[in-house]
Amino acid sequence: MSTTASPPKKVNRIGLEVVSYKGARTTLCAGCGHNAISERIVECFYEMGVQPWRVAKLSGIGCSSKSPAYFLGLAHGFNAVHGRAPSVGTGALLANRNLVGLTVTGDGDTASIGLGQFSHMLRRNIPMIYIIEDNGVYGLTKGQFSATADLGSKLKTGVVNDLPAMDMCLLAIELGATLVARSFSGDKRQFQAILKTAIAHQGLAIIDVISPCVTFNDHEGSTKSYSYVKDHDEPLHELDFVPAYQDISVEIPEGEAREVTLHDGSRIILKKLGHDYDPTDKMLAIQTLHEASGKGQIVTGILYLATGRPTFIDLLNLVDEPLATLPEERVRPPKAALDDLMAELR
Ligand SMILES: Cc1ncc(C[n+]2csc(CCOP(=O)(O)OP(=O)(O)O)c2C)c(N)n1
Ligand code: SF4
Ligand SMILES: [Mg+2]
């Protein structure tokens, strides 16, 4: 009797199969952009060899905020109250600085009820990846306009949005995020390169991903539909991510690409498309977003990248070990120190 040996299982650089990075089966609508984003998260964390149990997944409320159930099943997860992922994430990362923070949430969650928390997370440069699955509507509550819906865009019912859109990337650049990018759930290659850059980045990475809601916002008159985004997408560059653990030398023809090195030694190669865009120039990033919105274009790519800025954890001068696992004798002042303090207050 002959036995055929099964082919060796494919594993990543830490010896895990891709199945270790998957989550539960999605319950979102077939074709929802959010599903494609979950798939990219599985691929990128697998390919980068991140230990899934080191990841802290955070979200608020919405179809988008349900997504963390559909990737990284071995990670920690916290589904916070609507719009409150930033404060819960801040607490989790301060308690355990070894965690990799990954928030996946929606435009409604972030730009309306969660705007206050979002703003303070930006100021603090919390070291976390924050993905906004941006469909311009509150998908979960049946498709009302969100604050990122464009002025003049139409609901399926014909109702026209008469309020100007908030640009979450502009806000993120202005208030202190150190990596700000925009992508499209339908652009697998670009979003993968951006997400891998965000995983390697030390600091707050905001990624606004246009993620069409096929049920409530994929019709004519919507500016967040698959066809509208395909027709109005203006990529700033073609991106290649070279991780620090792969010692690859890349030939960059002079004047045709830029290279930015991240804190961990990973590199991002930004190949020129039409114009030469420098993502380290904050004013250029702001100007580019304003100009694009005036022309009805959706600029995608890495809009802004600042390396070497201290994170909130650096600013607080925390010890290297996670606070959550410090033994009691390291967190409790000795009696003599408490007595001295009390004496000072007398
Ligand atoms: C405190 C509170 N207010 C309002 C709601 C109702 N609500 C649930 S989801 C949601 C908006 C979801 O929109 P978004 O974040 O864009 O997610 P999407 O469903 O579009 O992915 C709202 C207003 C709620 N759950 N909790
Ligand atoms: S309602 Fe819209 S956002 Fe929600 S799962 Fe369906 S397609 Fe996605
Ligand atoms: Mg939404």
Side-chain angles (χ1 to χ4, degrees):
M1 200 172 77
S2 72
T3 52
T4 32
S6 46
K9 296 237 164 76
K10 208 173 155 209
V11 293
N12 64 5
R13 67 193 184 101
I14 60 163
L16 295 180
E17 291 175 47
V18 71
V19 69
S20 301
Y21 291 81
K22 293 193 172 171
R25 186 184 286 269
T26 180
T27 58
L28 302 183
C29 307
C32 175
H34 304 352
N35 287 328
I37 296 172
S38 296
E39 286 167 24
R40 301 296 84 77
I41 291 173
V42 170
E43 290 159 5
C44 290
F45 278 77
Y46 165 75
E47 285 170 23
M48 293 280 285
V50 179
Q51 293 169 321
W53 50 87
R54 266 187 63 215
V55 179
K57 303 181 288 186
L58 301 139
S59 66
I61 304 290
C63 298
S64 35
S65 290
K66 287 168 71 179
S67 308
Y70 316 133
F71 54 77
L72 302 180
L74 296 178
H76 306 274
F78 198 100
N79 193 198
V81 175
H82 202 14
R84 269 55 162 205
S87 57
V88 177
T90 302
L93 293 166
L94 290 188
N96 187 345
R97 60 181 302 163
N98 289 347
L99 292 174
V100 178
L102 171 63
T103 298
V104 176
T105 168
D107 43 320
D109 196 78
T110 302
S112 288
I113 198 165
L115 190 61
Q117 298 219 343
F118 181 69
S119 308
H120 290 281
M121 176 184 68
L122 295 171
R123 288 174 67 221
R124 291 175 172 150
N125 191 26
I126 304 290
M128 158 150 88
I129 303 162
Y130 190 103
I131 297 174
I132 306 167
E133 298 190 330
D134 190 353
N135 52 18
V137 287
Y138 298 168
L140 190 73
T141 55
K142 305 236 176 293
Q144 303 84 349
F145 282 126
S146 78
T148 66
D150 288 307
L151 181 69
S153 61
K154 264 193 200 150
L155 286 183
K156 249 172 148 176
T157 53
V159 175
V160 176
N161 180 29
D162 49 14
L163 290 173
M166 289 179 65
D167 187 322
M168 302 317 282
C169 288
L170 259 181
L171 191 68
I173 295 168
E174 184 61 35
L175 292 188
T178 41
L179 168 54
V180 181
R182 175 161 283 140
S183 194
F184 169 42
S185 64
D187 189 339
K188 181 173 169 167
R189 196 174 176 274
Q190 186 198 55
F191 179 52
Q192 272 180 336
I194 291 173
L195 183 53
K196 286 182 179 174
T197 308
I199 294 171
H201 177 66
Q202 204 189 42
L204 178 61
I206 302 292
I207 316 176
D208 181 57
V209 190
I210 314 288
S211 175
C213 168
V214 285
T215 303
F216 297 111
N217 206 11
D218 197 31
H219 48 269
E220 180 132 0
S222 159
T223 58
K224 300 269 196 280
S225 64
Y226 281 107
S227 62
Y228 187 91
V229 181
K230 273 184 201 139
D231 290 348
H232 295 80
D233 186 359
E234 248 335 277
L236 289 169
H237 30 231
E238 199 184 303
L239 296 169
D240 269 331
F241 175 80
V242 185
Y245 57 82
Q246 267 174 9
D247 192 17
I248 302 173
S249 66
V250 185
E251 285 281 319
I252 306 176
E254 185 129 9
E256 286 180 27
R258 272 175 191 275
E259 184 180 300
V260 183
T261 305
L262 305 180
H263 183 265
D264 73 342
S266 299
R267 289 168 295 150
I268 180 92
I269 319 285
L270 307 109
K271 292 187 201 134
K272 215 157 125 179
L273 283 180
H275 39 246
D276 189 16
Y277 184 77
D278 176 4
T280 63
D281 183 340
K282 187 168 184 171
M283 294 313 287
L284 176 66
I286 292 173
Q287 187 190 341
T288 302
L289 281 168
H290 277 292
E291 281 173 6
S293 100
K295 289 190 251 169
Q297 292 173 338
I298 303 166
V299 279
T300 58
I302 296 186
L303 297 159
Y304 181 59
L305 180 56
T307 55
R309 190 104 48 83
T311 68
F312 196 49
I313 290 180
D314 301 325
L315 290 174
L316 290 177
N317 205 14
L318 292 186
V319 287
D320 291 340
E321 305 99 304
L323 297 181
T325 53
L326 282 182
E328 199 176 308
E329 61 273 17
R330 301 261 319 267
V331 287
R332 194 168 208 206
K335 183 167 182 315
L338 287 174
D339 288 345
D340 287 350
L341 183 70
M342 290 309 286
E344 269 176 38
L345 298 174
R346 256 182 231 128

